[in-house]
Amino acid sequence: MDFNYSAEQRLWLDRLNAFMAEHVLPARAHFAQADPSAGFPWNAPECLRPLQEKARAAGLWNLFLPPAAQAHAANGFRFDSPGLSNLVYAPLAEVMGRHEFSSRIFNCSPPDTGNMELLLRYGSPDQQRRWLVPLMNGEMRSAFLMTEPAVASSDATNVETRIERDGDHYVINGRKWWSTGTGDADCRILIIMGKTDPAAPVHAQQSQILVPIETPGVRVVRMLDVFGYEDRPAGHGEVILENVRVPAENLILGEGRGFEIAQGRLGPGRIHHCMRTIGVAEEALELMCARLSERSTFGKPLAGRSIWQERIAWARTEIDMARLLTLRTAQLLDDNEAKSVRADISKIKLAVPRAALKVIDDAIQAFGGGGVCQDHGLARLYAKTRTMRLVDGPDEVHMRVIAKAELR
Ligand SMILES: Cc1cc2nc3c(=O)[nH]c(=O)nc-3n(C[C@H](O)[C@H](O)[C@H](O)COP(=O)(O)OP(=O)(O)OC[C@H]3O[C@@H](n4cnc5c(N)ncnc54)[C@H](O)[C@@H]3O)c2cc1C
């Protein structure tokens, strides 16, 4: 067991860090500027495309895609990707996590990454040609629509949207929300989960189907705020699906296979979330240390107070523990099917956001009133990281998975 980064990990980290320093960090202010349009869809900042072209030319493109994934590509498609293992990708995702907007520069941002893996693994050759290729090229974006306002969607068997066969077509009716990506003007394709056969055994009722966002009957009716933040340009939409008609060949894998697809999609996605969240925690700790080192109260620097040294010590310890557990899970996922490491994935999904939230909360405290306003980015980091205890399954669902494995 070697706890140091391998030569391959260091090589990629150096390449990414150099690119970040030269091209991405200087553009930070441009990303922070809001799209002036009042209503959605929102446009990506103008600096995005040129940066994406540079990243691609530098070989830093589709870094999330595991080496074996290319084998699933139909018709001999080859995608621009170095084919890194999860273990090599982990430190890179951490770097991207420190600067929220940066994942997209490398075509590594959710929900597209999960949707691309889904299409690679389960899409037909024609589905791959029409939607996977442009996604891999960063020419468009996508959304995954499972959660519904009317039912407790952390139990996906509750999902009520209907996908009904009508001749050569399927007709879809339902209401979704928290559909991340639907605010983006570049979002073109939706993957929708719904029931094709409510009378089938419970895990064979659901299917997944591809729906171009321009299809008549698809209406993004509003964007949901996260603690008041709009999360532009991706956004999180509430979407009404009314008699949405798409060709039968848009169904992924076959009727009743929705659960199987959802499970395959979420494994790597959860690891990526955790890796980025560790980057967020590192960013918060660095800001906290800098602030404490430059300010004094009652005649003594804040950094010299034992209460702050204790908080810094816990932050460093928790981050390092979270990273080690995440790297171990990345390795397990490289060597096994996602299904067999489910409990390990749940462990990091439970532990990492909590650890990061504690660090960000302490950092906010260290900044005093400055911590909760827009000036230092900490309020935004807290809001974003708090959602990590809900997205891709709330904590309680992951605890259930871990506890069941333990009890077995
Ligand atoms: C920022 C953000 C982005 C999102 N992006 C997407 C997306 O792109 N696509 C998509 O489909 N969804 C998305 N979601 C939705 C997210 O996956 C769901 O919110 C989550 O799965 C919980 O489902 P729910 O909101 O229906 O909560 P419910 O299922 O109603 O659960 C409510 C609460 O019940 C508790 N609970 C649930 N199960 C148990 C249990 N077994 N034991 C004890 N307590 C339990 C938990 O505390 C949970 O928070 C996103 C959510 C957020 C906040």
Side-chain angles (χ1 to χ4, degrees), residues 265-341:
R265 179 185 185 280
L266 289 178
R270 285 168 179 161
I271 293 210
H272 299 168
H273 273 318
C274 291
M275 294 163 179
R276 283 188 297 266
T277 303
I278 291 167
V280 170
E282 284 286 1
E283 179 75 4
L285 177 56
E286 192 175 308
L287 289 170
M288 174 162 84
C289 289
R291 181 73 163 198
L292 293 170
S293 302
E294 71 192 21
R295 292 216 158 181
S296 297
T297 58
F298 308 104
K300 223 173 151 181
L302 285 169
R305 306 251 176 211
S306 61
I307 178 89
W308 282 109
Q309 293 191 348
E310 186 181 329
R311 286 171 183 157
I312 292 168
W314 270 118
R316 170 49 58 218
T317 307
E318 295 264 352
I319 292 173
D320 286 355
M321 289 197 297
R323 181 184 293 107
L324 280 174
L325 196 60
T326 305
L327 288 171
R328 175 179 173 275
T329 309
Q331 168 110 63
L332 284 171
L333 194 65
D334 284 334
D335 297 342
N336 301 277
E337 273 295 307
K339 214 172 152 185
S340 63
V341 295

Side-chain angles (χ1 to χ4, degrees), residues 111 144-148 151-155 177-180 226 231 236 387 390-394 396-397 400:
F144 184 75
L145 280 63
M146 181 158 77
T147 305
E148 300 181 356
V151 293
S153 305
S154 42
D155 175 358
W177 76 343
W178 291 110
S179 308
T180 302
V226 174
D231 279 353
H236 314 282
T387 69
L390 297 165
V391 295
D392 289 357
E396 292 81 354
V397 169
R400 185 168 168 260

Side-chain angles (χ1 to χ4, degrees), residues 127-202:
Q127 290 167 352
Q128 292 191 353
R129 181 184 58 75
R130 292 180 65 189
W131 293 297
L132 177 61
V133 172
L135 279 170
M136 285 286 187
N137 287 333
E139 291 159 5
M140 66 180 205
R141 300 205 70 193
S142 58
F144 184 75
L145 280 63
M146 181 158 77
T147 305
E148 300 181 356
V151 293
S153 305
S154 42
D155 175 358
T157 63
N158 288 333
V159 163
E160 283 178 337
T161 290
R162 286 303 315 271
I163 304 175
E164 291 168 283
R165 184 87 191 213
D166 181 20
D168 293 340
H169 289 77
Y170 281 98
V171 179
I172 305 153
N173 282 286
R175 183 187 279 258
K176 300 285 185 181
W177 76 343
W178 291 110
S179 308
T180 302
T182 48
D184 194 319
D186 291 333
C187 183
R188 302 263 188 284
I189 188 73
L190 312 175
I191 299 174
I192 296 176
M193 178 136 159
K195 279 193 175 134
T196 33
D197 182 3
V202 77

Side-chain angles (χ1 to χ4, degrees), residues 16 19-20 23-28 31 45 47-63 96 99-109 112 136-138 141:
L16 183 67
F19 189 91
M20 293 288 286
H23 302 293
V24 181
L25 298 186
R28 229 178 153 172
F31 280 93
C47 61
L48 178 71
R49 290 272 173 236
L51 281 170
Q52 284 183 322
E53 278 161 27
K54 282 196 180 102
R56 194 167 183 168
L60 298 167
W61 192 251
N62 291 331
L63 300 170
M96 293 179 212
H99 308 288
E100 195 189 335
F101 54 87
S102 66
S103 297
R104 193 161 168 204
I105 294 169
F106 308 102
N107 213 35
C108 289
S109 54
D112 299 320
M136 285 286 187
N137 287 333
R141 300 205 70 193

